[in-house]
Amino acid sequence: MNRKELLSLILLILLTPLCLEAQYNIPQNRVWAMGYKVGLDFNTNPPTVITTNLISRNEACASVSDSSGKLLFYTNGTMVWSADGTLMPNGDTIIGKGFGTYSTTQGALIVPLLGDDHRYYLFSLSEGSNRKLYCNVVDMTLNGGKGDIDVSFNLRKTVLDSNLTEKMIAVPDCNNRVWILVHSDNQVAFKAYSITPSGLDRTPVVSTSGNFPSDYYSQGVLKVSPDGKKLMVCNFKSFSPAKGLELYDFDRSTGAVSNAQILDSITVYDGGTFSPDGSKVYAQTPTSSEVFQFDLTAANPSASKIRLGPSGQYVDMKLGPDGKIYFGAMAGSATFNYYRYMGRINYPDSAGLACQFQDSVTVLSFPNAAQTAGELAQGLPNDVVVPIRSVNEHKVVLDTLICSAGSMELSVPSGYADYIWDDSSTEPGRTIQDGGTYWVSYKLDDCHTYVDSFIIKESDLFTTITIDEFELSTTGGPFASYQWYLNGKAIPGATEPSYDVTANGDYTVEITDENGCRYLSDVYTINNYDLSVNDGDQIARQIKVYPNPASNVLNISSPVKVSVALSGIDGRLYYKGNNVVSISLEDFNCGIYFLNIYDRDNKLLKVEKIVK
């Protein structure tokens, strides 16, 4: 190993992939109940079209599965059904008689109670001009394990908030908390309610941020990026020019919404979502029944807008557990709320047409049979979320050797944030000159902090061969082990610091220190050892090997037919042949080789050191 070479070590650090911390692909979101008695089961690939008893015909819907992906219950925000399609005993008019949620864009939301595997919050947003926020609890231990509304829950049928828009989502935090986000209808303000193991905090975090008047926010969906850092807001108001597509920053550690940016003036009623990696935004407009893509990595995301294709007139867009985006398709449908097929975006992280937009997917067909199945409507289920596991991980990533003096590049993968090395440098990589212990801390996001240590052992091995008569010895040491070589081949049993010569040839020795570093000495040639003279010696003197050093072809001139074997300095055999007069070296690497030349009786005549 060259003493001055630069050793670059790319450290393959095993991190939890970002997609595993998103919520769209957790088992709780594998079964969708939606529209009028239809659904999708993502426990198969492609997803299977299923029949439910959900009665909505419009927008509000939510469903939840257990940690293995098995459906537990579903709701339209007003009624709740068990997985078998039966209405829960107390699952009718859960927000009180005379109140509905059907035409609320995101009128239903399910959030597991933190620290309880059997109970779930069910939030409802009523429809109408003064939308109210309600909360119930579903207990899956009731009704013979099929679940029912917990009538003892102290907030049941209580109005938690009012004068709200149709927007409602849940966003997880890593501090064992979930945020419920809604939007005021009479002021430009987001409200974030905190859920912890202690329960629901009824005092929201209020963020007054937005570019439009308050009435612009009345309808349309609110969505969060998979990493929880961005919000997209689709704005629409009936019988009004009010419209707009916005982006916001969300701080899930505080619940604050900020940095409102107008992405487009497009009219967006229901539909919109982020791509799995958060780099793309997709939005659907009812004005022309089309889907558009925006690239958030572009210098000007608004200018990156590209039309992908047709969709249903009023449809939501939802990221599936398989990483694809689904929406209602107009193909084969008479009008909105009676969609017969789903459209799909197969590679939503890809820019432009590479995302593979499909305006309808024939295997995702919903039969129009009113009593047993039905049609897809505007709304798609709200995501179920769970708190993200907070990670503060420390591990020794590299315990290795620098077996020669020189510099070494330590680096961690790019794409993370807040790099801090022990010397206060802040880049992903760092050059070191000596052995020792080094560390770096960095973040995947607010919930994932890593501190990695690197233990580098330095060893500067070097030895030469000395000769006393015909005894070869090493300098330096003592070392952990020795191995002597003659003409590139290991000499059996020659594992001591010295070796008594028994034949002419080229000798090397490999040494290993206590840390495992290895070094091969330079070649020492013995050519005056007293071998018995015979006819072979006379023939050997007439054998010529040229040119040497050689470039492309090595020629062998001999008075008799010979066979040859060409080996590397490591003893590896690279070429062997009979009646050889030349060897092509074009495919050989530059270096030192040993050419053994034999007569027809396989007696060694000569050994030549070859340099390419």
Side-chain angles (χ1 to χ4, degrees), residues 249-284:
D249 293 334
F250 181 67
D251 186 342
R252 62 185 176 193
S253 63
T254 64
V257 180
S258 62
N259 192 26
Q261 302 175 61
I262 298 176
L263 189 58
D264 199 87
S265 60
I266 187 175
T267 297
V268 187
Y269 177 52
D270 267 340
T273 191
F274 288 89
S275 65
D277 67 1
S279 68
K280 310 294 184 297
V281 161
Y282 293 86
Q284 183 276 342

PDB file of all heavy atoms in Angstrom, residues 249-284:
ATOM      1  N   ASP A 249     -45.016  26.150   5.517  1.00  0.00           N
ATOM      2  CA  ASP A 249     -44.131  25.376   6.379  1.00  0.00           C
ATOM      3  C   ASP A 249     -44.900  24.985   7.635  1.00  0.00           C
ATOM      4  O   ASP A 249     -45.694  25.781   8.158  1.00  0.00           O
ATOM      5  CB  ASP A 249     -42.896  26.183   6.771  1.00  0.00           C
ATOM      6  CG  ASP A 249     -41.981  26.467   5.591  1.00  0.00           C
ATOM      7  OD1 ASP A 249     -42.009  25.675   4.626  1.00  0.00           O
ATOM      8  OD2 ASP A 249     -41.249  27.475   5.638  1.00  0.00           O
ATOM      9  N   PHE A 250     -44.651  23.754   8.101  1.00  0.00           N
ATOM     10  CA  PHE A 250     -45.276  23.317   9.345  1.00  0.00           C
ATOM     11  C   PHE A 250     -44.202  22.849  10.306  1.00  0.00           C
ATOM     12  O   PHE A 250     -43.334  22.049   9.954  1.00  0.00           O
ATOM     13  CB  PHE A 250     -46.273  22.180   9.094  1.00  0.00           C
ATOM     14  CG  PHE A 250     -46.955  21.705  10.351  1.00  0.00           C
ATOM     15  CD1 PHE A 250     -47.843  22.533  11.028  1.00  0.00           C
ATOM     16  CD2 PHE A 250     -46.694  20.457  10.876  1.00  0.00           C
ATOM     17  CE1 PHE A 250     -48.462  22.110  12.196  1.00  0.00           C
ATOM     18  CE2 PHE A 250     -47.310  20.021  12.038  1.00  0.00           C
ATOM     19  CZ  PHE A 250     -48.201  20.856  12.701  1.00  0.00           C
ATOM     20  N   ASP A 251     -44.237  23.353  11.523  1.00  0.00           N
ATOM     21  CA  ASP A 251     -43.302  22.956  12.575  1.00  0.00           C
ATOM     22  C   ASP A 251     -44.031  21.993  13.498  1.00  0.00           C
ATOM     23  O   ASP A 251     -44.828  22.404  14.340  1.00  0.00           O
ATOM     24  CB  ASP A 251     -42.833  24.192  13.353  1.00  0.00           C
ATOM     25  CG  ASP A 251     -41.740  23.866  14.362  1.00  0.00           C
ATOM     26  OD1 ASP A 251     -41.581  22.668  14.710  1.00  0.00           O
ATOM     27  OD2 ASP A 251     -41.053  24.796  14.821  1.00  0.00           O
ATOM     28  N   ARG A 252     -43.768  20.713  13.323  1.00  0.00           N
ATOM     29  CA  ARG A 252     -44.531  19.740  14.104  1.00  0.00           C
ATOM     30  C   ARG A 252     -44.070  19.683  15.550  1.00  0.00           C
ATOM     31  O   ARG A 252     -44.723  19.040  16.387  1.00  0.00           O
ATOM     32  CB  ARG A 252     -44.453  18.356  13.458  1.00  0.00           C
ATOM     33  CG  ARG A 252     -43.082  17.764  13.360  1.00  0.00           C
ATOM     34  CD  ARG A 252     -43.158  16.472  12.598  1.00  0.00           C
ATOM     35  NE  ARG A 252     -41.837  15.896  12.399  1.00  0.00           N
ATOM     36  CZ  ARG A 252     -41.592  14.903  11.556  1.00  0.00           C
ATOM     37  NH1 ARG A 252     -42.570  14.402  10.849  1.00  0.00           N
ATOM     38  NH2 ARG A 252     -40.385  14.415  11.419  1.00  0.00           N
ATOM     39  N   SER A 253     -42.968  20.351  15.890  1.00  0.00           N
ATOM     40  CA  SER A 253     -42.569  20.397  17.296  1.00  0.00           C
ATOM     41  C   SER A 253     -43.360  21.447  18.070  1.00  0.00           C
ATOM     42  O   SER A 253     -43.485  21.367  19.288  1.00  0.00           O
ATOM     43  CB  SER A 253     -41.070  20.693  17.414  1.00  0.00           C
ATOM     44  OG  SER A 253     -40.761  21.974  16.889  1.00  0.00           O
ATOM     45  N   THR A 254     -43.926  22.442  17.346  1.00  0.00           N
ATOM     46  CA  THR A 254     -44.702  23.490  18.009  1.00  0.00           C
ATOM     47  C   THR A 254     -46.137  23.581  17.520  1.00  0.00           C
ATOM     48  O   THR A 254     -46.977  24.214  18.169  1.00  0.00           O
ATOM     49  CB  THR A 254     -44.043  24.871  17.791  1.00  0.00           C
ATOM     50  OG1 THR A 254     -44.080  25.195  16.388  1.00  0.00           O
ATOM     51  CG2 THR A 254     -42.599  24.862  18.269  1.00  0.00           C
ATOM     52  N   GLY A 255     -46.444  23.008  16.341  1.00  0.00           N
ATOM     53  CA  GLY A 255     -47.772  23.121  15.759  1.00  0.00           C
ATOM     54  C   GLY A 255     -47.979  24.396  14.961  1.00  0.00           C
ATOM     55  O   GLY A 255     -49.091  24.667  14.512  1.00  0.00           O
ATOM     56  N   ALA A 256     -46.916  25.179  14.754  1.00  0.00           N
ATOM     57  CA  ALA A 256     -47.043  26.462  14.064  1.00  0.00           C
ATOM     58  C   ALA A 256     -47.002  26.288  12.553  1.00  0.00           C
ATOM     59  O   ALA A 256     -46.229  25.489  12.018  1.00  0.00           O
ATOM     60  CB  ALA A 256     -45.924  27.400  14.504  1.00  0.00           C
ATOM     61  N   VAL A 257     -47.845  27.076  11.858  1.00  0.00           N
ATOM     62  CA  VAL A 257     -47.897  27.126  10.399  1.00  0.00           C
ATOM     63  C   VAL A 257     -47.371  28.489   9.955  1.00  0.00           C
ATOM     64  O   VAL A 257     -47.772  29.522  10.517  1.00  0.00           O
ATOM     65  CB  VAL A 257     -49.323  26.903   9.877  1.00  0.00           C
ATOM     66  CG1 VAL A 257     -49.352  26.951   8.356  1.00  0.00           C
ATOM     67  CG2 VAL A 257     -49.873  25.573  10.384  1.00  0.00           C
ATOM     68  N   SER A 258     -46.491  28.519   8.949  1.00  0.00           N
ATOM     69  CA  SER A 258     -45.882  29.788   8.551  1.00  0.00           C
ATOM     70  C   SER A 258     -45.485  29.753   7.083  1.00  0.00           C
ATOM     71  O   SER A 258     -45.638  28.740   6.397  1.00  0.00           O
ATOM     72  CB  SER A 258     -44.640  30.075   9.409  1.00  0.00           C
ATOM     73  OG  SER A 258     -43.663  29.062   9.223  1.00  0.00           O
ATOM     74  N   ASN A 259     -44.949  30.901   6.618  1.00  0.00           N
ATOM     75  CA  ASN A 259     -44.348  31.027   5.285  1.00  0.00           C
ATOM     76  C   ASN A 259     -45.319  30.659   4.173  1.00  0.00           C
ATOM     77  O   ASN A 259     -45.054  29.783   3.344  1.00  0.00           O
ATOM     78  CB  ASN A 259     -43.076  30.168   5.198  1.00  0.00           C
ATOM     79  CG  ASN A 259     -42.256  30.484   3.963  1.00  0.00           C
ATOM     80  OD1 ASN A 259     -42.328  31.593   3.426  1.00  0.00           O
ATOM     81  ND2 ASN A 259     -41.481  29.520   3.506  1.00  0.00           N
ATOM     82  N   ALA A 260     -46.445  31.334   4.118  1.00  0.00           N
ATOM     83  CA  ALA A 260     -47.450  31.075   3.088  1.00  0.00           C
ATOM     84  C   ALA A 260     -46.931  31.517   1.722  1.00  0.00           C
ATOM     85  O   ALA A 260     -46.452  32.640   1.564  1.00  0.00           O
ATOM     86  CB  ALA A 260     -48.740  31.811   3.419  1.00  0.00           C
ATOM     87  N   GLN A 261     -47.014  30.616   0.754  1.00  0.00           N
ATOM     88  CA  GLN A 261     -46.576  30.909  -0.610  1.00  0.00           C
ATOM     89  C   GLN A 261     -47.666  30.483  -1.589  1.00  0.00           C
ATOM     90  O   GLN A 261     -48.203  29.377  -1.477  1.00  0.00           O
ATOM     91  CB  GLN A 261     -45.289  30.152  -0.935  1.00  0.00           C
ATOM     92  CG  GLN A 261     -44.125  30.446  -0.024  1.00  0.00           C
ATOM     93  CD  GLN A 261     -42.941  29.572  -0.344  1.00  0.00           C
ATOM     94  OE1 GLN A 261     -42.402  29.616  -1.443  1.00  0.00           O
ATOM     95  NE2 GLN A 261     -42.527  28.761   0.622  1.00  0.00           N
ATOM     96  N   ILE A 262     -47.966  31.352  -2.546  1.00  0.00           N
ATOM     97  CA  ILE A 262     -48.932  30.995  -3.585  1.00  0.00           C
ATOM     98  C   ILE A 262     -48.211  30.166  -4.647  1.00  0.00           C
ATOM     99  O   ILE A 262     -47.268  30.634  -5.271  1.00  0.00           O
ATOM    100  CB  ILE A 262     -49.549  32.247  -4.216  1.00  0.00           C
ATOM    101  CG1 ILE A 262     -50.321  33.041  -3.167  1.00  0.00           C
ATOM    102  CG2 ILE A 262     -50.479  31.851  -5.364  1.00  0.00           C
ATOM    103  CD1 ILE A 262     -50.887  34.352  -3.694  1.00  0.00           C
ATOM    104  N   LEU A 263     -48.664  28.940  -4.834  1.00  0.00           N
ATOM    105  CA  LEU A 263     -48.073  28.082  -5.843  1.00  0.00           C
ATOM    106  C   LEU A 263     -48.745  28.295  -7.196  1.00  0.00           C
ATOM    107  O   LEU A 263     -48.089  28.244  -8.237  1.00  0.00           O
ATOM    108  CB  LEU A 263     -48.188  26.612  -5.417  1.00  0.00           C
ATOM    109  CG  LEU A 263     -47.428  25.580  -6.247  1.00  0.00           C
ATOM    110  CD1 LEU A 263     -45.927  25.889  -6.269  1.00  0.00           C
ATOM    111  CD2 LEU A 263     -47.651  24.178  -5.665  1.00  0.00           C
ATOM    112  N   ASP A 264     -50.063  28.556  -7.172  1.00  0.00           N
ATOM    113  CA  ASP A 264     -50.783  28.770  -8.422  1.00  0.00           C
ATOM    114  C   ASP A 264     -52.145  29.387  -8.107  1.00  0.00           C
ATOM    115  O   ASP A 264     -52.656  29.247  -6.986  1.00  0.00           O
ATOM    116  CB  ASP A 264     -50.969  27.448  -9.171  1.00  0.00           C
ATOM    117  CG  ASP A 264     -51.273  27.648 -10.646  1.00  0.00           C
ATOM    118  OD1 ASP A 264     -50.325  27.753 -11.428  1.00  0.00           O
ATOM    119  OD2 ASP A 264     -52.461  27.702 -10.994  1.00  0.00           O
ATOM    120  N   SER A 265     -52.717  30.036  -9.116  1.00  0.00           N
ATOM    121  CA  SER A 265     -54.055  30.610  -8.962  1.00  0.00           C
ATOM    122  C   SER A 265     -55.130  29.637  -9.418  1.00  0.00           C
ATOM    123  O   SER A 265     -56.293  29.997  -9.565  1.00  0.00           O
ATOM    124  CB  SER A 265     -54.169  31.899  -9.769  1.00  0.00           C
ATOM    125  OG  SER A 265     -53.939  31.640 -11.148  1.00  0.00           O
ATOM    126  N   ILE A 266     -54.753  28.381  -9.623  1.00  0.00           N
ATOM    127  CA  ILE A 266     -55.663  27.348 -10.077  1.00  0.00           C
ATOM    128  C   ILE A 266     -56.816  27.158  -9.091  1.00  0.00           C
ATOM    129  O   ILE A 266     -56.653  27.299  -7.879  1.00  0.00           O
ATOM    130  CB  ILE A 266     -54.878  26.025 -10.262  1.00  0.00           C
ATOM    131  CG1 ILE A 266     -55.723  24.953 -10.903  1.00  0.00           C
ATOM    132  CG2 ILE A 266     -54.348  25.546  -8.933  1.00  0.00           C
ATOM    133  CD1 ILE A 266     -54.917  23.686 -11.211  1.00  0.00           C
ATOM    134  N   THR A 267     -58.003  26.865  -9.608  1.00  0.00           N
ATOM    135  CA  THR A 267     -59.137  26.512  -8.758  1.00  0.00           C
ATOM    136  C   THR A 267     -58.984  25.056  -8.339  1.00  0.00           C
ATOM    137  O   THR A 267     -58.947  24.156  -9.171  1.00  0.00           O
ATOM    138  CB  THR A 267     -60.461  26.683  -9.506  1.00  0.00           C
ATOM    139  OG1 THR A 267     -60.619  28.066  -9.843  1.00  0.00           O
ATOM    140  CG2 THR A 267     -61.636  26.245  -8.641  1.00  0.00           C
ATOM    141  N   VAL A 268     -58.861  24.817  -7.053  1.00  0.00           N
ATOM    142  CA  VAL A 268     -58.676  23.453  -6.545  1.00  0.00           C
ATOM    143  C   VAL A 268     -59.742  23.196  -5.501  1.00  0.00           C
ATOM    144  O   VAL A 268     -59.738  23.798  -4.431  1.00  0.00           O
ATOM    145  CB  VAL A 268     -57.270  23.266  -5.931  1.00  0.00           C
ATOM    146  CG1 VAL A 268     -57.057  21.808  -5.577  1.00  0.00           C
ATOM    147  CG2 VAL A 268     -56.188  23.741  -6.888  1.00  0.00           C
ATOM    148  N   TYR A 269     -60.660  22.294  -5.813  1.00  0.00           N
ATOM    149  CA  TYR A 269     -61.739  22.016  -4.857  1.00  0.00           C
ATOM    150  C   TYR A 269     -61.332  20.897  -3.902  1.00  0.00           C
ATOM    151  O   TYR A 269     -60.989  21.134  -2.759  1.00  0.00           O
ATOM    152  CB  TYR A 269     -63.017  21.653  -5.614  1.00  0.00           C
ATOM    153  CG  TYR A 269     -64.154  21.288  -4.683  1.00  0.00           C
ATOM    154  CD1 TYR A 269     -64.502  22.146  -3.644  1.00  0.00           C
ATOM    155  CD2 TYR A 269     -64.857  20.115  -4.813  1.00  0.00           C
ATOM    156  CE1 TYR A 269     -65.525  21.842  -2.778  1.00  0.00           C
ATOM    157  CE2 TYR A 269     -65.888  19.798  -3.952  1.00  0.00           C
ATOM    158  CZ  TYR A 269     -66.215  20.662  -2.938  1.00  0.00           C
ATOM    159  OH  TYR A 269     -67.235  20.353  -2.080  1.00  0.00           O
ATOM    160  N   ASP A 270     -61.375  19.676  -4.372  1.00  0.00           N
ATOM    161  CA  ASP A 270     -60.994  18.552  -3.514  1.00  0.00           C
ATOM    162  C   ASP A 270     -59.507  18.240  -3.639  1.00  0.00           C
ATOM    163  O   ASP A 270     -58.795  18.114  -2.671  1.00  0.00           O
ATOM    164  CB  ASP A 270     -61.777  17.295  -3.901  1.00  0.00           C
ATOM    165  CG  ASP A 270     -63.046  17.158  -3.071  1.00  0.00           C
ATOM    166  OD1 ASP A 270     -63.108  17.776  -2.012  1.00  0.00           O
ATOM    167  OD2 ASP A 270     -63.950  16.442  -3.507  1.00  0.00           O
ATOM    168  N   GLY A 271     -59.046  18.059  -4.871  1.00  0.00           N
ATOM    169  CA  GLY A 271     -57.891  17.222  -5.105  1.00  0.00           C
ATOM    170  C   GLY A 271     -56.527  17.818  -4.969  1.00  0.00           C
ATOM    171  O   GLY A 271     -56.218  18.858  -5.534  1.00  0.00           O
ATOM    172  N   GLY A 272     -55.667  17.136  -4.257  1.00  0.00           N
ATOM    173  CA  GLY A 272     -54.268  17.502  -4.195  1.00  0.00           C
ATOM    174  C   GLY A 272     -53.520  16.610  -3.238  1.00  0.00           C
ATOM    175  O   GLY A 272     -54.083  16.116  -2.263  1.00  0.00           O
ATOM    176  N   THR A 273     -52.221  16.398  -3.500  1.00  0.00           N
ATOM    177  CA  THR A 273     -51.389  15.627  -2.588  1.00  0.00           C
ATOM    178  C   THR A 273     -49.927  15.825  -2.948  1.00  0.00           C
ATOM    179  O   THR A 273     -49.591  16.361  -4.008  1.00  0.00           O
ATOM    180  CB  THR A 273     -51.746  14.128  -2.635  1.00  0.00           C
ATOM    181  OG1 THR A 273     -51.104  13.450  -1.556  1.00  0.00           O
ATOM    182  CG2 THR A 273     -51.307  13.497  -3.952  1.00  0.00           C
ATOM    183  N   PHE A 274     -49.039  15.370  -2.050  1.00  0.00           N
ATOM    184  CA  PHE A 274     -47.601  15.377  -2.279  1.00  0.00           C
ATOM    185  C   PHE A 274     -47.157  14.025  -2.829  1.00  0.00           C
ATOM    186  O   PHE A 274     -47.831  13.003  -2.634  1.00  0.00           O
ATOM    187  CB  PHE A 274     -46.839  15.629  -0.973  1.00  0.00           C
ATOM    188  CG  PHE A 274     -46.935  17.035  -0.447  1.00  0.00           C
ATOM    189  CD1 PHE A 274     -47.966  17.402   0.404  1.00  0.00           C
ATOM    190  CD2 PHE A 274     -45.988  17.985  -0.783  1.00  0.00           C
ATOM    191  CE1 PHE A 274     -48.055  18.690   0.915  1.00  0.00           C
ATOM    192  CE2 PHE A 274     -46.060  19.277  -0.289  1.00  0.00           C
ATOM    193  CZ  PHE A 274     -47.100  19.629   0.562  1.00  0.00           C
ATOM    194  N   SER A 275     -46.002  14.004  -3.481  1.00  0.00           N
ATOM    195  CA  SER A 275     -45.375  12.746  -3.876  1.00  0.00           C
ATOM    196  C   SER A 275     -44.698  12.129  -2.652  1.00  0.00           C
ATOM    197  O   SER A 275     -44.498  12.801  -1.628  1.00  0.00           O
ATOM    198  CB  SER A 275     -44.343  12.984  -4.979  1.00  0.00           C
ATOM    199  OG  SER A 275     -43.270  13.778  -4.490  1.00  0.00           O
ATOM    200  N   PRO A 276     -44.313  10.853  -2.706  1.00  0.00           N
ATOM    201  CA  PRO A 276     -43.715  10.201  -1.529  1.00  0.00           C
ATOM    202  C   PRO A 276     -42.487  10.907  -0.985  1.00  0.00           C
ATOM    203  O   PRO A 276     -42.291  10.973   0.235  1.00  0.00           O
ATOM    204  CB  PRO A 276     -43.378   8.794  -2.049  1.00  0.00           C
ATOM    205  CG  PRO A 276     -44.367   8.545  -3.128  1.00  0.00           C
ATOM    206  CD  PRO A 276     -44.566   9.889  -3.791  1.00  0.00           C
ATOM    207  N   ASP A 277     -41.615  11.434  -1.875  1.00  0.00           N
ATOM    208  CA  ASP A 277     -40.418  12.110  -1.375  1.00  0.00           C
ATOM    209  C   ASP A 277     -40.649  13.590  -1.123  1.00  0.00           C
ATOM    210  O   ASP A 277     -39.721  14.312  -0.743  1.00  0.00           O
ATOM    211  CB  ASP A 277     -39.227  11.909  -2.324  1.00  0.00           C
ATOM    212  CG  ASP A 277     -39.405  12.604  -3.666  1.00  0.00           C
ATOM    213  OD1 ASP A 277     -40.437  13.273  -3.882  1.00  0.00           O
ATOM    214  OD2 ASP A 277     -38.504  12.474  -4.514  1.00  0.00           O
ATOM    215  N   GLY A 278     -41.875  14.059  -1.320  1.00  0.00           N
ATOM    216  CA  GLY A 278     -42.211  15.443  -1.033  1.00  0.00           C
ATOM    217  C   GLY A 278     -41.723  16.446  -2.057  1.00  0.00           C
ATOM    218  O   GLY A 278     -41.897  17.656  -1.870  1.00  0.00           O
ATOM    219  N   SER A 279     -41.141  15.990  -3.158  1.00  0.00           N
ATOM    220  CA  SER A 279     -40.569  16.911  -4.141  1.00  0.00           C
ATOM    221  C   SER A 279     -41.589  17.405  -5.154  1.00  0.00           C
ATOM    222  O   SER A 279     -41.328  18.375  -5.864  1.00  0.00           O
ATOM    223  CB  SER A 279     -39.412  16.229  -4.881  1.00  0.00           C
ATOM    224  OG  SER A 279     -39.877  15.166  -5.703  1.00  0.00           O
ATOM    225  N   LYS A 280     -42.720  16.734  -5.253  1.00  0.00           N
ATOM    226  CA  LYS A 280     -43.739  17.108  -6.240  1.00  0.00           C
ATOM    227  C   LYS A 280     -45.072  17.361  -5.536  1.00  0.00           C
ATOM    228  O   LYS A 280     -45.394  16.718  -4.525  1.00  0.00           O
ATOM    229  CB  LYS A 280     -43.916  16.008  -7.290  1.00  0.00           C
ATOM    230  CG  LYS A 280     -42.619  15.507  -7.934  1.00  0.00           C
ATOM    231  CD  LYS A 280     -41.936  16.547  -8.761  1.00  0.00           C
ATOM    232  CE  LYS A 280     -40.709  15.989  -9.465  1.00  0.00           C
ATOM    233  NZ  LYS A 280     -39.662  15.520  -8.549  1.00  0.00           N
ATOM    234  N   VAL A 281     -45.829  18.291  -6.108  1.00  0.00           N
ATOM    235  CA  VAL A 281     -47.200  18.539  -5.672  1.00  0.00           C
ATOM    236  C   VAL A 281     -48.113  18.268  -6.858  1.00  0.00           C
ATOM    237  O   VAL A 281     -47.828  18.686  -7.984  1.00  0.00           O
ATOM    238  CB  VAL A 281     -47.379  19.984  -5.182  1.00  0.00           C
ATOM    239  CG1 VAL A 281     -48.843  20.388  -5.179  1.00  0.00           C
ATOM    240  CG2 VAL A 281     -46.805  20.137  -3.784  1.00  0.00           C
ATOM    241  N   TYR A 282     -49.191  17.550  -6.590  1.00  0.00           N
ATOM    242  CA  TYR A 282     -50.201  17.270  -7.617  1.00  0.00           C
ATOM    243  C   TYR A 282     -51.507  17.931  -7.197  1.00  0.00           C
ATOM    244  O   TYR A 282     -51.896  17.871  -6.019  1.00  0.00           O
ATOM    245  CB  TYR A 282     -50.388  15.762  -7.783  1.00  0.00           C
ATOM    246  CG  TYR A 282     -49.170  15.082  -8.351  1.00  0.00           C
ATOM    247  CD1 TYR A 282     -48.135  14.670  -7.521  1.00  0.00           C
ATOM    248  CD2 TYR A 282     -49.039  14.880  -9.719  1.00  0.00           C
ATOM    249  CE1 TYR A 282     -46.998  14.064  -8.041  1.00  0.00           C
ATOM    250  CE2 TYR A 282     -47.902  14.276 -10.250  1.00  0.00           C
ATOM    251  CZ  TYR A 282     -46.890  13.870  -9.405  1.00  0.00           C
ATOM    252  OH  TYR A 282     -45.762  13.282  -9.933  1.00  0.00           O
ATOM    253  N   ALA A 283     -52.175  18.560  -8.159  1.00  0.00           N
ATOM    254  CA  ALA A 283     -53.429  19.243  -7.862  1.00  0.00           C
ATOM    255  C   ALA A 283     -54.408  19.025  -9.003  1.00  0.00           C
ATOM    256  O   ALA A 283     -54.013  18.954 -10.174  1.00  0.00           O
ATOM    257  CB  ALA A 283     -53.186  20.737  -7.651  1.00  0.00           C
ATOM    258  N   GLN A 284     -55.693  18.928  -8.638  1.00  0.00           N
ATOM    259  CA  GLN A 284     -56.753  18.699  -9.619  1.00  0.00           C
ATOM    260  C   GLN A 284     -57.700  19.885  -9.602  1.00  0.00           C
ATOM    261  O   GLN A 284     -58.080  20.384  -8.537  1.00  0.00           O
ATOM    262  CB  GLN A 284     -57.502  17.402  -9.279  1.00  0.00           C
ATOM    263  CG  GLN A 284     -58.581  17.006 -10.267  1.00  0.00           C
ATOM    264  CD  GLN A 284     -59.918  17.690 -10.011  1.00  0.00           C
ATOM    265  OE1 GLN A 284     -60.165  18.202  -8.932  1.00  0.00           O
ATOM    266  NE2 GLN A 284     -60.768  17.713 -11.021  1.00  0.00           N
TER     267      GLN A 284
END
